[in-house]
Amino acid sequence: SLERTAPSPPLVNLDLTGQPVTCEGARTLAAVLQVGCGMQTLLLRRTRVSDDGAAALGAALGSSTLAELDLGECMVRDVGMRLFVKGIQVHGSPLSLSVLCLDGNPMGDSGTVELVSLLEGPRRPPSLTTLCVKPAPPRALSAEVEAALRVVCDLARVELCFGPPCGPPSRVQEEPRHSFGSSSAPSAAGSVGGAGG
């Protein structure tokens, strides 16, 4: 007998950079990620995702096909980073996530320590190759936490950068392992989210 297989959803690259996406919008996107929609890239840079939105996305990543998530400059604080990491630890590691951008957020040492624990632990995203982390000024990482992050990234073979991978980053490593060219991802315009924040 012939088995019927469901067709694979098309790959989706969603760029909402600078759009008015709030934590409510991030919760909606998290729900979409959980239904196997084929989303490969989700760019939320310079949105208002904030702590609650980051928590929802972290919890949804384990069941997603996402390869790139950009939460840079999204007003995610230390508490939001703790909830983002906790979501991954509780709900499962995102198997295909290779690029994670968290730079430009008002987080400090405690949020970064959460990332270090994720990279050291059994729920580390196995495909992760690039991690962008640099707190928004005036915040800065202590020398100890930055050194721990560098060591963990080196051991996990994850490229650590201090800017978005598609922009002019200030690379930690002399020779980047991956080059990022211009993206052919379609841009989605419009507002996602409500009055949450």
Side-chain angles (χ1 to χ4, degrees), residues 62-78:
S63 57
S64 79
T65 57
L66 215 54
E68 180 177 355
L69 177 60
D70 187 346
L71 289 175
E73 303 174 56
C74 287
M75 298 187 286
V76 178
R77 300 171 298 153
D78 289 325

Side-chain angles (χ1 to χ4, degrees), residues 6-147:
S8 297
L11 296 179
V12 177
N13 298 303
L14 188 58
D15 185 351
L16 296 170
T17 300
Q19 297 297 317
V21 179
T22 63
C23 65
E24 289 298 320
R27 286 187 196 118
T28 301
L29 289 167
V32 169
L33 287 174
Q34 291 178 321
V35 297
C37 64
M39 192 173 303
Q40 190 171 27
T41 303
L42 181 55
L43 307 178
L44 295 168
R45 179 169 293 275
R46 291 188 307 277
T47 62
R48 297 185 309 259
V49 166
S50 70
D51 298 332
D52 291 339
L57 290 166
L61 285 177
S63 57
S64 79
T65 57
L66 215 54
E68 180 177 355
L69 177 60
D70 187 346
L71 289 175
E73 303 174 56
C74 287
M75 298 187 286
V76 178
R77 300 171 298 153
D78 289 325
V79 66
M81 193 52 53
R82 183 177 70 243
L83 294 170
F84 177 80
V85 169
K86 186 75 163 177
I88 292 172
Q89 291 170 334
V90 169
H91 296 284
S93 180
L95 300 178
S96 57
L97 187 67
S98 61
V99 177
L100 178 59
C101 297
L102 301 165
D103 57 286
N105 284 301
M107 64 180 196
D109 283 354
S110 65
T112 306
V113 166
E114 296 293 336
L115 285 172
V116 168
S117 71
L118 177 65
L119 292 173
E120 288 179 324
R123 295 289 186 155
R124 178 179 74 82
S127 299
L128 190 65
T129 58
T130 305
L131 176 64
C132 300
V133 178
K134 181 180 182 184
R139 307 242 8 210
L141 299 179
S142 68
E144 296 83 8
V145 170
E146 185 174 329

